[in-house]
Amino acid sequence: SSLEGVNMAMAVTGADAKTLANGLTVAAQAFQFDLAKPGMATELLEKMTIAGRLGNAELQNLSDIFARVGVNAASAGMNFDTTLAFIEGLSKIERQPERLATLGDSTLRVFNNLKYMADAQKSTGVKFFDAKGQRRDAMAVLEDIRAKYKTISTDKQRAEFVQSAFGKADLDTIKGLKTLLTGNTLDVIRQFTGKTEKAGGTFKRDMDAATANLVDQA
């Protein structure tokens, strides 16, 4: 049950029940999770706990950030694990929760604003949809755009590339996309995704380790 998951998360993380319950509710709404399903709440909270440890957005901040980012991430084609990793990857650049939520939400507009998307696709040649009209993996799209960006040799040409692809987007969207095109943030997001996907059993392992430590101390 959700209560069992919340109780375990409280014991392991020290977060309060209201924060954990809010995080579960927001995640379930954004990604259509059934919290009545046995083990679902625990699984989601374990993923959120691992994500919080990887980046700078702590577990208690994730529910508020998710409220801003979750629905748009889901509509951009990201799953729960990738969305957590996306937030925590960006948290390496922006630590302040409110600004992080704005940066994440703004960056995702290129996938949810048809005008932004059409301009980016036309300029870069990278397709956002497959031959059947289904969304491509958002990370794959970003990685394809980054691959083209990395072939450019001069600062002037890179600035022109960004202007051509995203110049009609708002400044926060451009800032987020430039963050993802430069450096290794996309690689970090991929790494974080792999770790959240393997989060199962985190609470039990942590509880066992804490119990063993108490026995040793005694």
Side-chain angles (χ1 to χ4, degrees):
S1 70
S2 295
L3 185 59
E4 181 182 3
V6 167
N7 285 338
M8 290 180 69
M10 286 173 62
V12 169
T13 68
D16 66 84
K18 183 178 180 181
T19 297
L20 295 169
N22 285 346
L24 278 176
T25 302
V26 171
Q29 289 175 342
F31 292 92
Q32 303 300 303
F33 291 123
D34 180 6
L35 293 178
K37 182 180 177 182
M40 178 58 71
T42 299
E43 179 183 339
L44 298 183
L45 288 169
E46 284 178 327
K47 290 176 183 293
M48 294 173 80
T49 299
I50 289 296
R53 291 172 183 174
L54 291 169
N56 293 318
E58 302 293 336
L59 178 63
Q60 56 265 32
N61 301 129
L62 277 173
S63 61
D64 290 335
I65 296 170
F66 240 92
R68 293 272 305 280
V69 176
V71 172
N72 284 339
S75 64
M78 289 185 176
N79 63 20
F80 184 62
D81 293 291
T82 304
T83 303
L84 286 174
F86 175 74
I87 293 169
E88 295 297 351
L90 288 178
S91 79
K92 295 292 187 178
I93 289 93
E94 178 53 75
R95 301 175 70 105
Q96 205 280 328
E98 183 69 24
R99 290 200 296 267
L100 173 59
T102 298
L103 180 63
D105 189 44
S106 299
T107 305
L108 290 167
R109 283 183 197 143
V110 76
F111 294 96
N112 292 303
N113 181 307
L114 292 179
K115 177 62 177 167
Y116 292 178
M117 195 189 307
D119 287 345
Q121 184 168 282
K122 181 179 178 181
S123 177
T124 64
V126 173
K127 296 190 182 304
F128 283 65
F129 297 91
D130 63 22
K132 295 181 180 178
Q134 300 300 312
R135 282 189 182 274
R136 294 182 60 215
D137 171 41
M139 288 295 296
V141 172
L142 291 168
E143 285 164 350
D144 285 350
I145 295 174
R146 183 182 64 167
K148 298 207 172 205
Y149 182 83
K150 283 191 169 184
T151 64
I152 303 169
S153 57
T154 71
D155 290 341
K156 182 175 183 291
Q157 289 173 324
R158 280 190 284 269
E160 289 170 345
F161 178 91
V162 171
Q163 178 63 31
S164 176
F166 312 116
K168 294 177 183 174
D170 57 276
L171 292 177
D172 282 327
T173 302
I174 295 171
K175 176 185 175 183
L177 290 164
K178 284 175 73 174
T179 297
L180 297 178
L181 295 181
T182 58
N184 68 338
T185 302
L186 285 177
D187 302 316
V188 169
I189 293 171
R190 283 288 193 195
Q191 292 166 10
F192 285 1
T193 301
K195 290 177 179 177
T196 58
E197 288 173 344
K198 298 173 183 174
T202 294
F203 291 162
K204 184 180 186 306
R205 287 192 294 272
D206 285 3
M207 296 277 271
D208 288 348
T211 302
N213 190 42
L214 283 173
V215 170
D216 289 342
Q217 290 179 17

